[in-house]
Each structure stands twice: as structure tokens, then as C-alpha cells.
Amino acid sequence: MKVRQAAAFTLVNPVEPARPGNETLASQIRANLAQEIISGRMAPGTEIDEQELAQRFSTSRTPVREALRELASSGLVIIEPRRGARVVALTLDRISEMFEVMAEIEAMCIRIATYRITTKERSALRDLHMQSQKIVEAKDIDGYDRINRQFHDAIYQGTHNEFLREHALTLRRSLAPFRRAQLHGTLRLTASYEEHATMLKCIFAGDGNAAAKLMRAHMLVAGSVYAGYAHDYPQVHPIEQ
């Protein structure tokens, strides 16, 4: 069955003029689109109009196509012959597989970070968690999505393993729209906050194995909640059948 297509995305909000050079401009376009996809402003299945993008960024289609190729390589966009580009919309089975892999990678990250994270980094991680409390109480999904990314990024950084961090970030970018969408699940903000709190206790106690077990469960639950959300609201987060 074909993907349920979301309404065509109207490209608005012009950005500041880019510096000369196609490579710089392509990177700027890629960064802007990636943020819009990750934040949910461009839903899975949304068609991307190259001409609208070129007009938005006051450029030719060349850097636009380069930006879309980069987004495709990171898994955020799919480019099909004669059909153009659209924000990726995957089957639930595929997304579940990605969450499984992400669960193992993040479990590895937090286990290693538990033993390598510096005192300053550990304090910063705790501060991020404390900041998220008011956001959860306000039921601010956008705010929690931002600080949640910072929390997990801090764990990747705490591994002091750049190769592992790069792979975690790459997969996270591919899963970002789905990780954000699962926050709409009933009581998911509160549950996620409490799960972070328990993982932090393990980090401060120096128990990397326990932290890894909790992180693995944390990610698998997120995948399960997303599946329920996508099933209940296909018009918001279309998936392939």
C-alpha cells in the first residue's frame, strides 16, 4: 500500500542570507530541513518541493538537491526517481527494528559513560534533568523534546568515544521524528522523566550495567508507545502499510 501522504508542506519563514558557495548553502539548507523534520514541523510522508526550497533560500536547485542527498544519506528523506523527495515514512516493523538497535546503542553509551563521565559532565547531566521537571509539569512536549535530546547527547558525550557518539547521533537523527512523536503518548512525559531519574541514580552509583538495562527498556518502551500513537493517529504521523 502506498504511503498516506501528508498535506504538501508550504515553505515559509525565510532564513538569513547564506554566505557565498554552494557547499555552504547546501549545508544551511540541510540543517534547516533537518531541524524541521526532527521538530515535527515536517511530518513523515510530507512531499518536498525543490522549486519552493530554491525560492525560499534564493538559490538554484543545485544546492537544494545536494542538501536533499545529504538528508537521504542520514535517513531523514527518501528520494525516488520521477517522484522527487519526501520526508521518510517507514513501516512499523522497520521503525521497531530501528528502536531495537537504538536501544542497544544507547545502552552501550550509558554503560560506558557511567565509568568515563567526568564530574563536571555528570553535574551537567543532573542539571538538565532538574530543568526538565518544570517542563514536564507544564506538559510542554516541544520543550521536553529539546531537553530530552540534550540529555541523551550528554550521555553520548560522556562515553568519550567519538566513533560511538557519531553512530549514536546518526541513528538518533533517523529516529528523531518518531522519538518526538512518542512523547504524545498518555503520561509519556512523566514516565520518561522518571526513567531518566532512575538512570541518573545508577550513573551516580557507578553501576553501568544497571544503567544500561534501564536505558534499553527506556528505548524499547518509547518504540512501543510510538507504534500505538502512529496507529491511533495515522493522519498526523503517516506510516507505510
Side-chain angles (χ1 to χ4, degrees):
M1 183 180 294
K2 297 292 185 182
V3 177
R4 299 186 185 92
Q5 291 294 335
F9 183 76
T10 301
L11 296 168
V12 294
N13 300 329
V15 296
E16 296 180 1
R19 294 188 300 272
N22 280 350
E23 182 178 353
T24 298
L25 185 51
S27 297
Q28 181 181 350
I29 295 170
R30 177 196 55 75
N32 275 269
L33 290 182
Q35 181 57 37
E36 289 172 2
I37 294 170
I38 290 170
S39 68
R41 289 177 58 193
M42 295 180 70
T46 299
E47 296 179 351
I48 302 173
D49 190 307
E50 287 186 7
Q51 185 58 42
E52 285 186 280
L53 275 179
Q55 292 175 357
R56 176 186 177 186
F57 288 91
S58 301
T59 185
S60 67
R61 291 193 179 190
T62 300
V64 169
R65 288 169 178 164
E66 176 60 27
L68 291 176
R69 283 195 293 268
E70 291 178 9
L71 288 170
S73 68
S74 65
L76 290 178
V77 163
I78 184 169
I79 301 174
E80 298 176 317
R82 296 181 296 280
R83 292 188 61 185
R86 59 182 168 85
V87 180
V88 67
L90 305 170
T91 65
L92 280 180
D93 284 345
R94 181 66 169 180
I95 295 169
S96 294
E97 291 171 352
M98 292 169 70
F99 268 105
E100 285 183 355
V101 174
M102 188 82 255
E104 294 302 322
I105 289 179
E106 295 231 9
M108 183 188 303
C109 285
I110 199 170
R111 179 176 58 80
I112 294 175
T114 297
Y115 304 123
R116 294 184 179 176
I117 195 168
T118 66
T119 300
K120 183 178 180 180
E121 290 170 335
R122 191 163 51 235
S123 296
L125 189 61
R126 179 183 57 195
D127 290 344
L128 281 172
H129 178 65
M130 293 175 66
Q131 292 170 32
S132 69
Q133 182 177 0
K134 290 184 178 179
I135 295 175
V136 171
E137 292 172 351
K139 296 181 173 59
D140 180 358
I141 291 177
D142 290 337
Y144 189 79
D145 179 51
R146 287 191 298 272
I147 206 163
N148 182 52
R149 291 199 304 268
Q150 293 173 26
F151 183 88
H152 284 265
D153 290 349
I155 291 173
Y156 306 158
Q157 185 65 43
T159 66
H160 294 273
N161 182 319
E162 191 60 24
F163 182 81
L164 177 57
R165 176 175 175 272
E166 288 172 359
H167 279 269
L169 286 171
T170 297
L171 183 53
R172 182 182 180 86
R173 281 192 290 269
S174 298
L175 268 175
F178 313 108
R179 291 179 70 153
R180 182 185 187 282
Q182 59 91 23
L183 295 175
H184 289 273
T186 304
L187 301 179
R188 186 57 196 150
L189 289 184
T190 300
S192 178
Y193 171 81
E194 292 174 349
E195 290 161 12
H196 284 181
T198 308
M199 285 185 277
L200 268 179
K201 289 180 180 178
C202 292
I203 291 175
F204 275 82
D207 192 341
N209 289 329
K213 183 177 180 179
L214 290 168
M215 178 63 83
R216 185 178 295 108
H218 176 68
M219 293 305 307
L220 292 176
V221 166
S224 178
V225 172
Y226 171 77
Y229 173 76
H231 180 270
D232 292 340
Y233 301 97
Q235 71 279 13
V236 179
H237 241 242
I239 54 174
E240 292 183 348
Q241 300 294 333

